[in-house]
């Protein structure tokens, strides 16, 4: 058997993405602490979506309530989120990436992978060329990691933020990767990290040195194998060029038209669970839950409910679906029922606590 040809994978992540987009139309705010989130009104409840690196110096972080951010950095300027604008710029930088290599994998609003194995230029030259193209096409900076697989490329893109370009070779793993916290491995979330710490494993190097059997006893064989290989810099998942789905849905046509509310409710719960599982496996979360109901006479109604944040949680989806169902008058027999979740984003969720879904994060 011949060894597989070495791959070169590039991971790109835009710097302070929402904030960088906002600064394009507010260049007067460059160099200032700027916080993006909610309606951009710090006197109302809201959560920081992101902030400029100037605001990060004060300790402000994504996910933090405005109240805390205000205490840490009273002079920050607040701006509301404008997803339409971020999506528009997301398409622009992704197009710049596709011009470098067609083997492109979209991983969310501000990050993507490229397989650059077939290119003849050096990795450094490709990285610099892409950074200049993105700066030219968007006016924004990004951070790039290039390595022999997606895992190392992703870890590398985060090592020298903002405006970084980091190349990792397999031989660099012991010196540059092993000292990092185990949490830097995408797929090892807070829960898995806590469990690793309880086993005395804090760094990626300690994880690499741990026995596979011991890890398997605590995490199950699939997760243990992933973690152990990852800590040793081994990861085979290919860059897959797929279109982002716009929604996930499940529907069912009853064998016979039904009028029994219990049966409708049972079906709605089961469809919700299946959509939730589908989202979770694919690493997506959605913000809008909708149902479709077709009566025996083919009259069809839909209702939807937008949540405060994206979810792939079965219970949350089921509760939203039932809320929609209650808004429909069930005065005739029902022929078909469907559940749909839209406004999808990358869930970024700690899926590994479920056991074997770590790969969906890469
Ligand atoms: N985001 C959000 N809420 C979070 C985390 C992120 O709304 N809790 C949004 C805002 C970010 C974008 O997603 O701009 C990308 O997330 P990143 O984690 O990549 O963060 P940034 O791009 O803002 O900063 P960095 O330079 O660290 O990549
Ligand atoms: Ca980013």
């Amino acid at each position: 058997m011949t060894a597989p040809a070495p791959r070169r994978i590039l991971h790109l992540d835009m710097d302070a993405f929402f904030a960088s987009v906002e600064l394009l139309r507010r260049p007067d705010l460059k160099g200032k602490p700027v916080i993006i989130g909610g309606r951009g009104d710090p006197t109302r409840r809201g959560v920081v979506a992101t902030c400029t690196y100037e605001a990060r110096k004060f300790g402000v972080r994504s996910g933090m309530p405005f109240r805390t951010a205000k205490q840490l950095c009273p002079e920050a300027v607040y701006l509301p989120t404008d997803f339409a604008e971020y999506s528009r710029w997301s398409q622009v930088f992704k197009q710049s990436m596709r011009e470098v290599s067609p083997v492109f994998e979209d991983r969310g609003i501000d990050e993507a992978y490229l397989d650059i194995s077939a290119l003849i230029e050096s990795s450094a030259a490709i990285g610099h060329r892409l950074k200049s193209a993105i700066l030219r096409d968007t006016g924004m900076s990004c951070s790039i990691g290039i390595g022999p697989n997606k895992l190392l490329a992703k870890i590398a893109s985060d090592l020298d933020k903002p405006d970084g370009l980091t190349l990792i070779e397999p031989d660099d793993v012991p010196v540059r990767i092993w000292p990092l916290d185990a949490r830097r491995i995408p797929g090892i979330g807070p829960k898995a990290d806590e469990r690793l710490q309880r086993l005395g494993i804090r760094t990626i190097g300690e994880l690499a040195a741990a026995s596979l059997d011991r890890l398997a006893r605590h995490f199950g064989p699939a997760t243990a194998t992933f973690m152990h290989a990852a800590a040793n810099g081994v990861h085979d998942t290919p860059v897959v060029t797929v279109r982002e789905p716009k929604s996930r849905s499940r529907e069912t046509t009853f064998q016979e038209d039904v009028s029994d509310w219990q049966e409708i409710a049972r079906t709605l719960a089961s469809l919700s669970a299946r959509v939730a599982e589908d989202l979770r496996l694919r690493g997506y979360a959605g913000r809008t839950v909708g149902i479709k109901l077709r009566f025996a006479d083919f009259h069809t109604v839909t209702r939807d409910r937008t949540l405060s944040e994206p979810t792939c949680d079965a219970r949350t989806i089921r509760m939203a679906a039932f809320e929609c169902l209650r808004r429909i008058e069930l005065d005739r027999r029902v022929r078909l029922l469907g559940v749909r979740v839209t406004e999808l984003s990358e869930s970024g969720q700690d899926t590994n606590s479920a056991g074997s879904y770590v790969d969906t994060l890469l």
Side-chain angles (χ1 to χ4, degrees), residues 12-18 50 53 56 110-111 161:
L12 184 145
D13 183 297
M14 299 298 288
D15 298 324
F17 185 52
F18 293 4
T50 193
Y53 279 76
R56 295 183 199 195
D110 89 326
E111 58 179 305
K161 258 189 168 292

